Amino acid sequence: QVSVLYFARSAELAGLRSETLSVPREITSLQLWEEIVKVHPRLAVIRDQVVFAVRQEYVLLGDQVLVLQPGDEVAIIPPISGG
Amino acid sequence: MEESEDVPKDFIKLKSEKLSVDEVSELVVSPSCGAVSLFIGTTRNNFEGRKVIHLEYEAYSSMAETEIKKICRDVRQKWPSVKHIAMYHRVGVVPITEASVIIAVSSPHRTESLEAVTYCINTLKASVPIWKKEIYEDEYSWKENKECFWANSEK
């Protein structure tokens, strides 16, 4: 079970800022995205513009295998615009 | 007069209240430094011909602070003579002309602090999880920094 955080446009599309999701312990970042889109189909439109932050490290959507622990924070990160 | 400890410090803050240039520059002033360099990011009232009413900033606060700490660490590696670094970013609503970010760096001589401030703002725009929403009269728009490597530059 991981904590999924939504920000900016992804929070608007998902309709919430955070939730707990059950996902396999080992999963590629792309598979993780697909799990999340199953729950929030409206997120599909931003697929090409987001990255994840897993335990506060950026991860691209792709084949990278993530090893997740219970309670890990996974954040959806749309293109940033600080400063 | 007592010599207080003048160890290099990083001052990092995300806050919703108005940012003060005086306050942030005071933080980095040091008896051993002859230079304080500053960057202030302010909000513009227009974008591509549309009137901007105000900006709203959102942050992944814990990670934003961690990423800003990484920037400070990088600055100290690249410019070892840098003394203090302050990076303050506002979150929530920011009215037009008010500051959304203030960066201040002190160093014994001016070159290092000027270069470090440039590095800080450029890297912040590329790596710190903060988002800006421009509110227009009839709609709004989430902005995307061109420094962000996962943004599509479509239009």
Side-chain angles (χ1 to χ4, degrees):
Chain A
Q1 283 224 322
V2 295
S3 216
V4 183
L5 305 178
Y6 301 90
F7 291 98
R9 183 125 188 263
S10 70
E12 289 176 346
L13 291 168
L16 76 178
R17 299 209 154 265
S18 70
E19 64 185 341
T20 336
L21 277 187
S22 285
V23 293
R25 204 158 193 274
E26 283 194 24
I27 185 175
T28 68
S29 54
L30 187 53
Q31 285 167 342
L32 177 58
W33 173 256
E34 280 155 11
E35 291 295 310
I36 292 170
V37 171
K38 276 185 201 160
V39 184
H40 302 287
R42 289 171 64 194
L43 286 173
V45 298
I46 56 171
R47 182 196 181 288
D48 291 336
Q49 293 161 54
V50 296
V51 297
F52 281 124
V54 179
R55 295 184 295 267
Q56 304 196 358
E57 299 282 346
Y58 291 117
V59 176
L60 292 173
L61 266 52
D63 297 328
Q64 184 177 339
V65 176
L66 307 171
V67 179
L68 299 171
Q69 313 285 349
D72 271 353
E73 240 174 44
V74 171
I76 315 256
I77 310 278
I80 55 177
S81 39
Chain B
M1 189 148 92
E2 268 184 40
E3 286 257 347
S4 52
E5 271 215 67
D6 198 25
V7 285
K9 292 191 205 76
D10 299 334
F11 300 93
I12 298 167
K13 200 173 235 182
L14 301 177
K15 58 190 271 193
S16 51
E17 299 82 20
K18 191 169 176 180
L19 300 180
S20 154
V21 173
D22 281 348
E23 182 193 329
V24 178
S25 55
E26 282 291 310
L27 290 171
V28 304
V29 163
S30 154
S32 61
C33 291
V36 172
S37 298
L38 260 217
F39 173 81
I40 307 163
T42 56
T43 60
R44 280 184 290 148
N45 68 1
N46 72 87
F47 178 74
E48 286 179 357
R50 291 147 108 194
K51 183 174 159 198
V52 178
I53 310 294
H54 66 250
L55 301 187
E56 286 177 22
Y57 282 91
E58 187 178 316
Y60 181 4
S61 308
S62 50
M63 187 176 175
E65 291 193 16
T66 308
E67 288 296 310
I68 295 175
K69 278 192 197 126
K70 286 183 191 168
I71 296 175
C72 293
R73 188 196 60 204
D74 289 350
V75 164
R76 292 181 186 293
Q77 272 180 354
K78 292 173 190 290
W79 297 279
S81 66
V82 157
K83 193 66 178 228
H84 302 307
I85 305 169
M87 292 178 66
Y88 273 38
H89 203 298
R90 196 162 170 193
V91 291
V93 174
V94 182
I96 300 301
T97 75
E98 291 191 15
S100 37
V101 60
I102 302 179
I103 298 173
V105 177
S106 56
S107 60
H109 305 287
R110 67 185 182 282
T111 310
E112 290 79 8
S113 67
L114 284 167
E115 290 176 357
V117 165
T118 303
Y119 176 84
C120 284
I121 184 62
N122 290 344
T123 312
L124 184 152
K125 282 181 169 289
S127 69
V128 175
I130 295 177
W131 295 270
K132 171 167 79 178
K133 191 158 118 175
E134 271 177 0
I135 312 295
Y136 310 115
E137 285 168 317
D138 48 356
E139 55 177 334
Y140 65 82
S141 166
W142 288 105
K143 307 308 297 181
E144 302 181 358
N145 287 346
K146 62 185 194 310
E147 296 85 352
C148 173
F149 73 83
W150 62 93
N152 291 337
S153 343
E154 295 165 75
K155 293 190 238 172

